[in-house]
Amino acid sequence: MRVVLFGFQKWGAQLLAALLDSRHEVVLTVSHPEEGEWAPEIFDESMGDLARKHDIPVLYREKAVDAELVEAIRESGAEIGLACNWRTWISPEVFSAPARGTVNTHDSLLPRYAGFSPLNWALINGESQVGITAHWMDADLDRGDIITQRTVPVTPTDTTEDLFARTVPLFGPLSLDAFDRIEFGPHDWLRQDPEHASFFHKRADPDNRIHWDRSARDLVNLVRAQTGPYPNAWCLHSGERLRVLEASVSRERCGGTIGRVFAREGRGVIVVAGPEAWRGRQYGLVLQRVLDARGVEHVAGDYFRRMGDYLG
């Protein structure tokens, strides 16, 4: 099939590479501008550069909504659209411009974790598996009928970077499988059940703040979800930001006031955490490695010279 590809960063570049090695022909690519927005280095790969290397036209848009883009897609003769890591709205006029419509690929097991930062949110919520989905694009974001999916298990030590590294290579095989099903069947698309749907917003700095009334297990998941190259989970110590790079659940329960640096455990320190922590039925959060406000990394047991401090 003749394909118009909407893509950005490493997701888009690797998907384009897979399409170039397939029987399909990419006749047009559409990408976001490649400057001006901070992103982790692991995302840094240009779909536009790869397209130009293969003499494929590249158009840049913040949003795919304009009549000029619709006309360009029609003039390209694209039979089908494919979107990967497209960060903004694609209008119905645009996604309907290819003769067969447009397939979106999303890095969650829809209908759960529609929206933004799905891998981070899934890890924060302690999910045992994540995945990617190919679905028909319609007017509702990430809500179209599901064509096919891939599942990836989550281990107890995985970070979001680990899950990113395992899901990105699957977008090519997933999309090619979706195209085979569209062309040759079966055409038994799965309608998304709104009763099982969840939709998440983009993550921002306040979302990474540690709230000590949450369980230690939940806080460990937050730390894992936001380890580098993502913005780290953080708290305040003596009025300065302290970023948490590694943490674990304490071996024994501890009680008291949440946020209190309670005792040493190994090379780390236990901080009282959890709902109703004063009753002594909760495990604490063991800070293992931290980054101070000057950007210096410390083993937590060396950073906290004495017990009894409170973390905000």
Side-chain angles (χ1 to χ4, degrees):
M1 289 188 292
R2 291 168 61 84
V3 182
V4 53
L5 177 61
F6 302 85
F8 188 47
Q9 296 174 325
K10 181 168 287 187
W11 291 267
Q14 294 203 3
L15 181 50
L16 175 56
L19 290 170
L20 290 170
D21 286 338
S22 75
R23 61 185 176 85
H24 303 285
E25 180 187 3
V26 181
V27 294
L28 179 66
T29 60
V30 187
S31 189
H32 294 303
E34 295 174 348
E35 298 179 355
E37 180 180 352
W38 178 88
E41 287 187 13
I42 58 172
F43 297 172
D44 188 18
E45 192 169 340
S46 171
M47 188 187 80
D49 287 349
L50 181 60
R52 283 186 288 271
K53 181 179 178 181
H54 291 270
D55 297 320
I56 301 170
V58 185
L59 300 177
Y60 288 97
R61 296 290 191 278
E62 286 288 353
K63 295 182 179 181
V65 299
D66 57 283
E68 181 182 345
L69 180 56
V70 172
E71 185 61 27
I73 293 170
R74 289 175 177 162
E75 288 183 355
S76 74
E79 298 170 71
I80 194 163
L82 179 63
C84 185
N85 191 37
W86 189 262
R87 301 295 183 86
T88 58
W89 193 48
I90 298 179
S91 72
E93 292 78 15
V94 171
F95 69 67
S96 300
R100 292 177 181 258
T102 296
V103 174
N104 183 50
T105 56
H106 180 72
D107 43 357
S108 83
L109 295 172
L110 294 174
R112 303 186 67 195
Y113 296 98
F116 301 93
S117 307
L119 294 179
N120 305 74
W121 285 113
L123 198 51
I124 287 167
N125 290 326
E127 300 290 356
S128 61
Q129 62 180 20
V130 294
I132 59 175
T133 299
H135 68 95
W136 287 109
M137 186 170 285
D138 65 13
D140 296 318
L141 182 63
D142 297 336
R143 298 300 197 215
D145 289 355
I146 293 170
I147 302 169
T148 187
Q149 295 181 311
R150 294 285 191 279
T151 302
V152 174
V154 179
T155 75
T157 59
D158 276 335
T159 66
T160 303
E161 183 175 1
D162 296 326
L163 300 180
F164 169 79
R166 294 211 296 274
T167 54
V168 165
L170 299 180
F171 278 92
L174 175 89
S175 300
L176 295 176
D177 180 35
F179 281 1
D180 284 346
R181 294 193 61 188
I182 290 166
E183 285 191 282
F184 309 117
H187 297 146
D188 51 344
W189 321 131
L190 177 64
R191 186 171 298 278
Q192 295 193 44
D193 183 353
E195 290 296 318
H196 294 97
S198 56
F199 188 93
F200 286 82
H201 61 75
K202 291 181 180 180
R203 292 191 60 76
D205 185 60
D207 303 315
N208 301 328
R209 185 167 188 168
I210 292 173
H211 296 274
W212 297 105
D213 57 349
R214 296 178 184 174
S215 74
R217 172 52 56 196
D218 286 344
L219 295 179
V220 167
N221 289 342
L222 173 63
V223 171
R224 290 165 60 207
Q226 294 300 138
T227 54
Y230 297 90
N232 303 121
W234 60 276
C235 59
L236 293 177
H237 178 232
S238 299
E240 293 190 330
R241 181 172 296 211
L242 184 69
R243 291 191 276 173
V244 181
L245 306 180
E246 183 183 354
S248 59
V249 178
S250 65
R251 291 192 291 265
E252 297 182 357
R253 293 178 175 88
C254 58
T257 301
I258 57 173
R260 166 100 174 195
V261 181
F262 179 72
R264 298 185 184 276
E265 182 176 298
R267 300 192 68 192
V269 294
I270 304 171
V271 182
V272 178
E276 297 188 336
W278 64 87
R279 300 188 188 278
R281 299 170 187 163
Q282 304 288 327
Y283 292 93
L285 182 72
V286 182
L287 304 184
Q288 302 286 3
R289 292 186 300 118
V290 296
L291 196 71
D292 67 24
R294 286 157 291 284
V296 179
E297 182 177 330
H298 304 268
V299 173
D302 297 335
Y303 176 81
F304 290 97
R305 299 290 183 176
R306 59 185 176 85
M307 301 299 99
D309 287 352
Y310 287 87
L311 304 181

